[in-house]
Amino acid sequence: DRLSAPLGDRHGGARRVDPEDHTYHDGHRPPTLENMLDKTPAVEPWWSEDSPGTPMQSAPFCEGLWGWGEFPTPEVPEPAEGDNHVRVSIYNIGGPMTAVLGKTTNKEFPLIPHVGVRINGREHFFSDHVENRASVVMDQMMPPDQYPQVTFDLGVSEVDDAEIDAWLKTAEAKFAPENYDLWKRNCNHFAQDFAEFLLPGTGFPAPLMTPVLDFTDSMLDNLPEWRRAMGDVFMNQLSRTVVVSWGRVLRNEKERKAEALGLDKGK
């Protein structure tokens, strides 16, 4: 059953696009926002469109990022105590800055992405350091009305707590504030690496993850060469400053909410 299998096992390949009229061979036409992300592969639905009762989730960026406006919600809700399902959430943290960034780079972006990976009741991510917080704290810190989001259940991990702790400890050297790189080492790259560790061989399926990484990979493609060279350095320095500052500002608030809930503050 493709609907009940782990996402990493049931995900199909990208659709083929007709080079003449840019429609998919099954007749579906992809979004055509001018100067949109141009390396985004199409997502082949893994769910049955003949099942109208399937609960769906959506966010304003879904159509522009993946070519579909909605996706099935994870079939197994995350329990309060957590479990060994690997759930990955993509958030839009850009707000009004998304349009500003688009004008700066001569592109139209559906979001400024942030990705968190949940397992065993905690969400792991890279801010100004490798960080983790209780899922319930993150639910309060990142409400959907402020941070549009979608979540995918990638499957069940067989990696135990000790192995996870050891991997995260090793990752702290790679994903450190001084090593932050907008193009090669940001929160999305951390999520990709962590998901691959938790689910070897499947991780975060490329048709879903590649468009998220494409946000930075092709950000400057529409700029003249001389502006691209300048923007490469400037945008990397600016984003590093913003991310480090954002992580520090939110840290106290996350710890305050964790304390109010009687939970471990994380790190």
Side-chain angles (χ1 to χ4, degrees):
D1 185 346
R2 288 170 62 81
L3 189 62
S4 61
L7 178 56
D9 294 339
R10 65 176 179 258
H11 201 285
R15 290 174 167 179
R16 294 183 297 121
V17 179
D18 190 297
E20 295 297 325
D21 63 1
H22 304 289
T23 58
Y24 293 119
H25 282 212
D26 62 3
H28 180 76
R29 179 177 292 274
T32 56
L33 291 175
E34 185 179 2
N35 293 336
M36 180 58 82
L37 300 173
D38 52 14
K39 299 176 184 174
T40 299
V43 170
E44 183 73 20
W46 61 87
W47 62 94
S48 171
E49 297 181 89
D50 298 327
S51 302
T54 301
M56 305 294 283
Q57 60 178 328
S58 182
F61 57 79
C62 287
E63 183 76 21
L65 195 62
W66 295 299
W68 291 90
E70 57 183 10
F71 293 87
T73 58
E75 296 172 42
V76 180
E78 182 181 17
E81 68 278 9
D83 57 18
N84 59 349
H85 282 249
V86 180
R87 298 176 179 86
V88 176
S89 294
I90 296 93
Y91 305 92
N92 180 4
I93 61 172
M97 286 302 296
T98 306
V100 174
L101 180 62
K103 291 180 179 179
T104 303
T105 58
N106 194 30
K107 278 203 170 186
E108 186 174 354
F109 296 107
L111 81 168
I112 295 178
H114 170 72
V115 183
V117 181
R118 294 188 179 190
I119 186 169
N120 298 333
R122 305 194 71 81
E123 182 165 324
H124 301 263
F125 53 97
F126 177 36
S127 56
D128 61 329
H129 65 294
V130 175
E131 188 172 351
N132 73 84
R133 304 285 169 178
S135 295
V136 65
V137 171
M138 295 306 298
D139 288 341
Q140 293 194 17
M141 288 297 304
M142 308 288 281
D145 59 333
Q146 296 182 36
Y147 301 96
Q149 58 195 259
V150 291
T151 298
F152 300 104
D153 185 342
L154 304 187
V156 175
S157 176
E158 297 181 358
V159 180
D160 62 34
D161 288 344
E163 292 171 310
I164 292 174
D165 289 343
W167 187 91
L168 291 170
K169 185 67 176 177
T170 301
E172 289 177 356
K174 178 179 179 181
F175 295 97
E178 62 272 17
N179 293 332
Y180 181 89
D181 188 300
L182 177 62
W183 320 110
K184 301 176 181 177
R185 194 173 293 131
N186 59 39
C187 65
N188 307 317
H189 297 94
F190 169 81
Q192 182 183 43
D193 287 1
F194 190 36
E196 176 63 31
F197 164 73
L198 294 172
L199 297 167
T202 58
F204 202 157
L208 289 175
M209 189 61 188
T210 300
V212 178
L213 297 175
D214 182 38
F215 169 77
T216 51
D217 291 349
S218 66
M219 182 184 292
L220 305 179
D221 285 1
N222 283 356
L223 297 179
E225 187 63 36
W226 66 272
R227 284 190 60 192
R228 193 180 305 173
M230 294 177 60
D232 193 350
V233 176
F234 173 75
M235 292 299 295
N236 195 40
Q237 291 177 340
L238 177 62
S239 62
R240 181 185 300 178
T241 300
V242 170
V243 167
V244 170
S245 299
W246 178 69
R248 289 174 179 169
V249 167
L250 292 184
R251 186 180 306 160
N252 289 339
E253 179 65 11
K254 293 171 187 172
E255 291 179 353
R256 185 185 68 78
K257 288 187 178 296
E259 185 175 6
L261 294 168
L263 299 170
D264 175 21
K265 295 181 180 180
K267 64 176 183 176

PDB file of all heavy atoms in Angstrom, residues 6-11 86 153-157 191-209:
ATOM      1  N   PRO A   6       6.301   3.908   4.346  1.00  0.00           N
ATOM      2  CA  PRO A   6       7.110   5.091   4.653  1.00  0.00           C
ATOM      3  C   PRO A   6       7.344   5.910   3.399  1.00  0.00           C
ATOM      4  O   PRO A   6       7.481   5.365   2.300  1.00  0.00           O
ATOM      5  CB  PRO A   6       8.417   4.486   5.191  1.00  0.00           C
ATOM      6  CG  PRO A   6       8.044   3.126   5.674  1.00  0.00           C
ATOM      7  CD  PRO A   6       6.946   2.666   4.754  1.00  0.00           C
ATOM      8  N   LEU A   7       7.378   7.233   3.570  1.00  0.00           N
ATOM      9  CA  LEU A   7       7.532   8.134   2.437  1.00  0.00           C
ATOM     10  C   LEU A   7       8.763   7.802   1.617  1.00  0.00           C
ATOM     11  O   LEU A   7       8.729   7.828   0.388  1.00  0.00           O
ATOM     12  CB  LEU A   7       7.608   9.576   2.944  1.00  0.00           C
ATOM     13  CG  LEU A   7       7.827  10.668   1.901  1.00  0.00           C
ATOM     14  CD1 LEU A   7       6.741  10.604   0.845  1.00  0.00           C
ATOM     15  CD2 LEU A   7       7.819  12.021   2.576  1.00  0.00           C
ATOM     16  N   GLY A   8       9.866   7.485   2.277  1.00  0.00           N
ATOM     17  CA  GLY A   8      11.096   7.198   1.551  1.00  0.00           C
ATOM     18  C   GLY A   8      10.979   5.976   0.658  1.00  0.00           C
ATOM     19  O   GLY A   8      11.700   5.834  -0.321  1.00  0.00           O
ATOM     20  N   ASP A   9      10.037   5.053   0.981  1.00  0.00           N
ATOM     21  CA  ASP A   9       9.873   3.842   0.192  1.00  0.00           C
ATOM     22  C   ASP A   9       8.860   4.008  -0.924  1.00  0.00           C
ATOM     23  O   ASP A   9       8.924   3.335  -1.939  1.00  0.00           O
ATOM     24  CB  ASP A   9       9.408   2.690   1.089  1.00  0.00           C
ATOM     25  CG  ASP A   9      10.470   2.306   2.106  1.00  0.00           C
ATOM     26  OD1 ASP A   9      11.644   2.635   1.863  1.00  0.00           O
ATOM     27  OD2 ASP A   9      10.120   1.703   3.130  1.00  0.00           O
ATOM     28  N   ARG A  10       7.888   4.937  -0.740  1.00  0.00           N
ATOM     29  CA  ARG A  10       6.793   4.995  -1.698  1.00  0.00           C
ATOM     30  C   ARG A  10       6.915   6.152  -2.666  1.00  0.00           C
ATOM     31  O   ARG A  10       6.109   6.304  -3.565  1.00  0.00           O
ATOM     32  CB  ARG A  10       5.466   5.115  -0.944  1.00  0.00           C
ATOM     33  CG  ARG A  10       5.301   6.417  -0.164  1.00  0.00           C
ATOM     34  CD  ARG A  10       3.906   6.483   0.459  1.00  0.00           C
ATOM     35  NE  ARG A  10       3.728   7.707   1.219  1.00  0.00           N
ATOM     36  CZ  ARG A  10       3.791   7.794   2.522  1.00  0.00           C
ATOM     37  NH1 ARG A  10       4.056   6.726   3.228  1.00  0.00           N
ATOM     38  NH2 ARG A  10       3.597   8.946   3.144  1.00  0.00           N
ATOM     39  N   HIS A  11       7.932   7.004  -2.512  1.00  0.00           N
ATOM     40  CA  HIS A  11       8.005   8.209  -3.325  1.00  0.00           C
ATOM     41  C   HIS A  11       8.408   7.881  -4.757  1.00  0.00           C
ATOM     42  O   HIS A  11       9.380   7.191  -5.002  1.00  0.00           O
ATOM     43  CB  HIS A  11       9.016   9.193  -2.728  1.00  0.00           C
ATOM     44  CG  HIS A  11       8.776  10.589  -3.202  1.00  0.00           C
ATOM     45  ND1 HIS A  11       9.114  10.995  -4.464  1.00  0.00           N
ATOM     46  CD2 HIS A  11       8.200  11.643  -2.600  1.00  0.00           C
ATOM     47  CE1 HIS A  11       8.776  12.256  -4.608  1.00  0.00           C
ATOM     48  NE2 HIS A  11       8.212  12.679  -3.495  1.00  0.00           N
ATOM     49  N   VAL A  86      10.581   9.441  11.874  1.00  0.00           N
ATOM     50  CA  VAL A  86      11.371  10.609  11.479  1.00  0.00           C
ATOM     51  C   VAL A  86      10.440  11.569  10.751  1.00  0.00           C
ATOM     52  O   VAL A  86      10.000  11.296   9.631  1.00  0.00           O
ATOM     53  CB  VAL A  86      12.548  10.219  10.568  1.00  0.00           C
ATOM     54  CG1 VAL A  86      13.345  11.457  10.173  1.00  0.00           C
ATOM     55  CG2 VAL A  86      13.445   9.201  11.268  1.00  0.00           C
ATOM     56  N   ASP A 153       6.281  12.581   7.202  1.00  0.00           N
ATOM     57  CA  ASP A 153       6.758  11.426   7.974  1.00  0.00           C
ATOM     58  C   ASP A 153       7.577  10.568   7.019  1.00  0.00           C
ATOM     59  O   ASP A 153       7.044   9.940   6.101  1.00  0.00           O
ATOM     60  CB  ASP A 153       5.570  10.647   8.527  1.00  0.00           C
ATOM     61  CG  ASP A 153       5.988   9.505   9.444  1.00  0.00           C
ATOM     62  OD1 ASP A 153       7.168   9.088   9.402  1.00  0.00           O
ATOM     63  OD2 ASP A 153       5.137   9.017  10.210  1.00  0.00           O
ATOM     64  N   LEU A 154       8.897  10.529   7.237  1.00  0.00           N
ATOM     65  CA  LEU A 154       9.791   9.818   6.315  1.00  0.00           C
ATOM     66  C   LEU A 154       9.895   8.333   6.605  1.00  0.00           C
ATOM     67  O   LEU A 154      10.455   7.579   5.811  1.00  0.00           O
ATOM     68  CB  LEU A 154      11.190  10.449   6.366  1.00  0.00           C
ATOM     69  CG  LEU A 154      11.282  11.945   6.074  1.00  0.00           C
ATOM     70  CD1 LEU A 154      12.744  12.371   5.986  1.00  0.00           C
ATOM     71  CD2 LEU A 154      10.535  12.313   4.808  1.00  0.00           C
ATOM     72  N   GLY A 155       9.396   7.904   7.761  1.00  0.00           N
ATOM     73  CA  GLY A 155       9.478   6.488   8.098  1.00  0.00           C
ATOM     74  C   GLY A 155      10.016   6.272   9.498  1.00  0.00           C
ATOM     75  O   GLY A 155      10.280   7.223  10.243  1.00  0.00           O
ATOM     76  N   VAL A 156      10.186   5.017   9.868  1.00  0.00           N
ATOM     77  CA  VAL A 156      10.637   4.638  11.205  1.00  0.00           C
ATOM     78  C   VAL A 156      12.143   4.381  11.200  1.00  0.00           C
ATOM     79  O   VAL A 156      12.654   3.660  10.343  1.00  0.00           O
ATOM     80  CB  VAL A 156       9.890   3.376  11.682  1.00  0.00           C
ATOM     81  CG1 VAL A 156      10.442   2.900  13.024  1.00  0.00           C
ATOM     82  CG2 VAL A 156       8.394   3.663  11.799  1.00  0.00           C
ATOM     83  N   SER A 157      12.839   4.999  12.141  1.00  0.00           N
ATOM     84  CA  SER A 157      14.286   4.817  12.249  1.00  0.00           C
ATOM     85  C   SER A 157      14.617   3.692  13.226  1.00  0.00           C
ATOM     86  O   SER A 157      13.955   3.531  14.259  1.00  0.00           O
ATOM     87  CB  SER A 157      14.944   6.118  12.732  1.00  0.00           C
ATOM     88  OG  SER A 157      16.336   5.928  12.920  1.00  0.00           O
ATOM     89  N   ALA A 191      19.581  19.214   8.077  1.00  0.00           N
ATOM     90  CA  ALA A 191      18.417  18.330   8.058  1.00  0.00           C
ATOM     91  C   ALA A 191      18.612  17.194   7.063  1.00  0.00           C
ATOM     92  O   ALA A 191      18.251  16.043   7.333  1.00  0.00           O
ATOM     93  CB  ALA A 191      17.170  19.136   7.704  1.00  0.00           C
ATOM     94  N   GLN A 192      19.182  17.497   5.924  1.00  0.00           N
ATOM     95  CA  GLN A 192      19.444  16.459   4.918  1.00  0.00           C
ATOM     96  C   GLN A 192      20.403  15.407   5.468  1.00  0.00           C
ATOM     97  O   GLN A 192      20.160  14.197   5.334  1.00  0.00           O
ATOM     98  CB  GLN A 192      20.011  17.096   3.661  1.00  0.00           C
ATOM     99  CG  GLN A 192      20.272  16.103   2.520  1.00  0.00           C
ATOM    100  CD  GLN A 192      20.898  16.769   1.314  1.00  0.00           C
ATOM    101  OE1 GLN A 192      21.804  17.585   1.449  1.00  0.00           O
ATOM    102  NE2 GLN A 192      20.423  16.443   0.131  1.00  0.00           N
ATOM    103  N   ASP A 193      21.489  15.853   6.087  1.00  0.00           N
ATOM    104  CA  ASP A 193      22.480  14.914   6.631  1.00  0.00           C
ATOM    105  C   ASP A 193      21.879  14.072   7.756  1.00  0.00           C
ATOM    106  O   ASP A 193      22.106  12.852   7.831  1.00  0.00           O
ATOM    107  CB  ASP A 193      23.692  15.677   7.170  1.00  0.00           C
ATOM    108  CG  ASP A 193      24.578  16.244   6.068  1.00  0.00           C
ATOM    109  OD1 ASP A 193      24.248  16.058   4.881  1.00  0.00           O
ATOM    110  OD2 ASP A 193      25.581  16.897   6.403  1.00  0.00           O
ATOM    111  N   PHE A 194      21.115  14.718   8.646  1.00  0.00           N
ATOM    112  CA  PHE A 194      20.557  14.014   9.799  1.00  0.00           C
ATOM    113  C   PHE A 194      19.518  12.989   9.353  1.00  0.00           C
ATOM    114  O   PHE A 194      19.477  11.858   9.866  1.00  0.00           O
ATOM    115  CB  PHE A 194      19.953  15.022  10.767  1.00  0.00           C
ATOM    116  CG  PHE A 194      19.568  14.446  12.105  1.00  0.00           C
ATOM    117  CD1 PHE A 194      20.328  13.451  12.704  1.00  0.00           C
ATOM    118  CD2 PHE A 194      18.454  14.919  12.782  1.00  0.00           C
ATOM    119  CE1 PHE A 194      19.990  12.924  13.952  1.00  0.00           C
ATOM    120  CE2 PHE A 194      18.105  14.419  14.027  1.00  0.00           C
ATOM    121  CZ  PHE A 194      18.858  13.414  14.609  1.00  0.00           C
ATOM    122  N   ALA A 195      18.674  13.368   8.385  1.00  0.00           N
ATOM    123  CA  ALA A 195      17.663  12.431   7.889  1.00  0.00           C
ATOM    124  C   ALA A 195      18.316  11.226   7.231  1.00  0.00           C
ATOM    125  O   ALA A 195      17.862  10.089   7.396  1.00  0.00           O
ATOM    126  CB  ALA A 195      16.730  13.142   6.903  1.00  0.00           C
ATOM    127  N   GLU A 196      19.407  11.444   6.504  1.00  0.00           N
ATOM    128  CA  GLU A 196      20.110  10.333   5.866  1.00  0.00           C
ATOM    129  C   GLU A 196      20.722   9.411   6.915  1.00  0.00           C
ATOM    130  O   GLU A 196      20.748   8.183   6.736  1.00  0.00           O
ATOM    131  CB  GLU A 196      21.188  10.870   4.934  1.00  0.00           C
ATOM    132  CG  GLU A 196      22.051   9.793   4.283  1.00  0.00           C
ATOM    133  CD  GLU A 196      21.275   8.853   3.382  1.00  0.00           C
ATOM    134  OE1 GLU A 196      20.269   9.297   2.775  1.00  0.00           O
ATOM    135  OE2 GLU A 196      21.674   7.670   3.288  1.00  0.00           O
ATOM    136  N   PHE A 197      21.208   9.978   8.010  1.00  0.00           N
ATOM    137  CA  PHE A 197      21.751   9.158   9.093  1.00  0.00           C
ATOM    138  C   PHE A 197      20.645   8.322   9.740  1.00  0.00           C
ATOM    139  O   PHE A 197      20.838   7.125  10.016  1.00  0.00           O
ATOM    140  CB  PHE A 197      22.414  10.046  10.145  1.00  0.00           C
ATOM    141  CG  PHE A 197      22.662   9.361  11.464  1.00  0.00           C
ATOM    142  CD1 PHE A 197      23.666   8.417  11.594  1.00  0.00           C
ATOM    143  CD2 PHE A 197      21.865   9.658  12.571  1.00  0.00           C
ATOM    144  CE1 PHE A 197      23.884   7.770  12.808  1.00  0.00           C
ATOM    145  CE2 PHE A 197      22.070   9.014  13.787  1.00  0.00           C
ATOM    146  CZ  PHE A 197      23.090   8.067  13.908  1.00  0.00           C
ATOM    147  N   LEU A 198      19.504   8.924   9.984  1.00  0.00           N
ATOM    148  CA  LEU A 198      18.406   8.228  10.661  1.00  0.00           C
ATOM    149  C   LEU A 198      17.761   7.173   9.770  1.00  0.00           C
ATOM    150  O   LEU A 198      17.284   6.144  10.263  1.00  0.00           O
ATOM    151  CB  LEU A 198      17.345   9.238  11.109  1.00  0.00           C
ATOM    152  CG  LEU A 198      17.779  10.236  12.189  1.00  0.00           C
ATOM    153  CD1 LEU A 198      16.696  11.299  12.382  1.00  0.00           C
ATOM    154  CD2 LEU A 198      18.065   9.528  13.514  1.00  0.00           C
ATOM    155  N   LEU A 199      17.746   7.427   8.457  1.00  0.00           N
ATOM    156  CA  LEU A 199      17.121   6.506   7.507  1.00  0.00           C
ATOM    157  C   LEU A 199      18.093   6.253   6.358  1.00  0.00           C
ATOM    158  O   LEU A 199      17.944   6.807   5.266  1.00  0.00           O
ATOM    159  CB  LEU A 199      15.813   7.105   6.978  1.00  0.00           C
ATOM    160  CG  LEU A 199      14.715   7.347   8.011  1.00  0.00           C
ATOM    161  CD1 LEU A 199      13.613   8.222   7.417  1.00  0.00           C
ATOM    162  CD2 LEU A 199      14.144   6.021   8.505  1.00  0.00           C
ATOM    163  N   PRO A 200      19.109   5.428   6.598  1.00  0.00           N
ATOM    164  CA  PRO A 200      20.145   5.203   5.575  1.00  0.00           C
ATOM    165  C   PRO A 200      19.547   4.728   4.257  1.00  0.00           C
ATOM    166  O   PRO A 200      18.696   3.840   4.227  1.00  0.00           O
ATOM    167  CB  PRO A 200      21.036   4.122   6.209  1.00  0.00           C
ATOM    168  CG  PRO A 200      20.787   4.236   7.679  1.00  0.00           C
ATOM    169  CD  PRO A 200      19.347   4.637   7.815  1.00  0.00           C
ATOM    170  N   GLY A 201      20.000   5.347   3.189  1.00  0.00           N
ATOM    171  CA  GLY A 201      19.561   4.923   1.874  1.00  0.00           C
ATOM    172  C   GLY A 201      18.310   5.607   1.367  1.00  0.00           C
ATOM    173  O   GLY A 201      18.035   5.587   0.164  1.00  0.00           O
ATOM    174  N   THR A 202      17.534   6.209   2.264  1.00  0.00           N
ATOM    175  CA  THR A 202      16.325   6.919   1.836  1.00  0.00           C
ATOM    176  C   THR A 202      16.390   8.380   2.288  1.00  0.00           C
ATOM    177  O   THR A 202      16.270   9.284   1.482  1.00  0.00           O
ATOM    178  CB  THR A 202      15.053   6.254   2.377  1.00  0.00           C
ATOM    179  OG1 THR A 202      15.101   6.192   3.811  1.00  0.00           O
ATOM    180  CG2 THR A 202      14.906   4.848   1.831  1.00  0.00           C
ATOM    181  N   GLY A 203      16.606   8.597   3.580  1.00  0.00           N
ATOM    182  CA  GLY A 203      16.714   9.957   4.092  1.00  0.00           C
ATOM    183  C   GLY A 203      15.527  10.803   3.699  1.00  0.00           C
ATOM    184  O   GLY A 203      14.380  10.361   3.746  1.00  0.00           O
ATOM    185  N   PHE A 204      15.800  12.033   3.275  1.00  0.00           N
ATOM    186  CA  PHE A 204      14.771  12.949   2.814  1.00  0.00           C
ATOM    187  C   PHE A 204      14.729  12.835   1.288  1.00  0.00           C
ATOM    188  O   PHE A 204      15.648  13.259   0.613  1.00  0.00           O
ATOM    189  CB  PHE A 204      15.135  14.378   3.225  1.00  0.00           C
ATOM    190  CG  PHE A 204      13.964  15.330   3.276  1.00  0.00           C
ATOM    191  CD1 PHE A 204      14.033  16.469   4.043  1.00  0.00           C
ATOM    192  CD2 PHE A 204      12.812  15.100   2.536  1.00  0.00           C
ATOM    193  CE1 PHE A 204      12.971  17.357   4.098  1.00  0.00           C
ATOM    194  CE2 PHE A 204      11.742  15.976   2.571  1.00  0.00           C
ATOM    195  CZ  PHE A 204      11.829  17.111   3.357  1.00  0.00           C
ATOM    196  N   PRO A 205      13.682  12.232   0.709  1.00  0.00           N
ATOM    197  CA  PRO A 205      13.653  11.990  -0.742  1.00  0.00           C
ATOM    198  C   PRO A 205      13.992  13.238  -1.550  1.00  0.00           C
ATOM    199  O   PRO A 205      13.482  14.331  -1.292  1.00  0.00           O
ATOM    200  CB  PRO A 205      12.206  11.539  -0.986  1.00  0.00           C
ATOM    201  CG  PRO A 205      11.800  10.909   0.308  1.00  0.00           C
ATOM    202  CD  PRO A 205      12.466  11.734   1.374  1.00  0.00           C
ATOM    203  N   ALA A 206      14.852  13.069  -2.539  1.00  0.00           N
ATOM    204  CA  ALA A 206      15.371  14.195  -3.315  1.00  0.00           C
ATOM    205  C   ALA A 206      14.292  15.066  -3.947  1.00  0.00           C
ATOM    206  O   ALA A 206      14.420  16.296  -3.940  1.00  0.00           O
ATOM    207  CB  ALA A 206      16.338  13.684  -4.383  1.00  0.00           C
ATOM    208  N   PRO A 207      13.198  14.503  -4.518  1.00  0.00           N
ATOM    209  CA  PRO A 207      12.197  15.385  -5.123  1.00  0.00           C
ATOM    210  C   PRO A 207      11.565  16.354  -4.133  1.00  0.00           C
ATOM    211  O   PRO A 207      11.045  17.391  -4.531  1.00  0.00           O
ATOM    212  CB  PRO A 207      11.152  14.404  -5.674  1.00  0.00           C
ATOM    213  CG  PRO A 207      11.932  13.159  -5.926  1.00  0.00           C
ATOM    214  CD  PRO A 207      12.922  13.086  -4.786  1.00  0.00           C
ATOM    215  N   LEU A 208      11.611  16.034  -2.835  1.00  0.00           N
ATOM    216  CA  LEU A 208      11.108  16.949  -1.825  1.00  0.00           C
ATOM    217  C   LEU A 208      12.204  17.861  -1.284  1.00  0.00           C
ATOM    218  O   LEU A 208      11.993  19.051  -1.054  1.00  0.00           O
ATOM    219  CB  LEU A 208      10.482  16.161  -0.666  1.00  0.00           C
ATOM    220  CG  LEU A 208       9.153  15.460  -0.945  1.00  0.00           C
ATOM    221  CD1 LEU A 208       8.739  14.625   0.263  1.00  0.00           C
ATOM    222  CD2 LEU A 208       8.070  16.463  -1.307  1.00  0.00           C
ATOM    223  N   MET A 209      13.404  17.313  -1.086  1.00  0.00           N
ATOM    224  CA  MET A 209      14.476  18.082  -0.459  1.00  0.00           C
ATOM    225  C   MET A 209      15.207  18.991  -1.432  1.00  0.00           C
ATOM    226  O   MET A 209      15.592  20.108  -1.075  1.00  0.00           O
ATOM    227  CB  MET A 209      15.479  17.129   0.200  1.00  0.00           C
ATOM    228  CG  MET A 209      16.510  17.832   1.075  1.00  0.00           C
ATOM    229  SD  MET A 209      15.700  18.718   2.456  1.00  0.00           S
ATOM    230  CE  MET A 209      17.068  19.630   3.155  1.00  0.00           C
TER     231      MET A 209
END
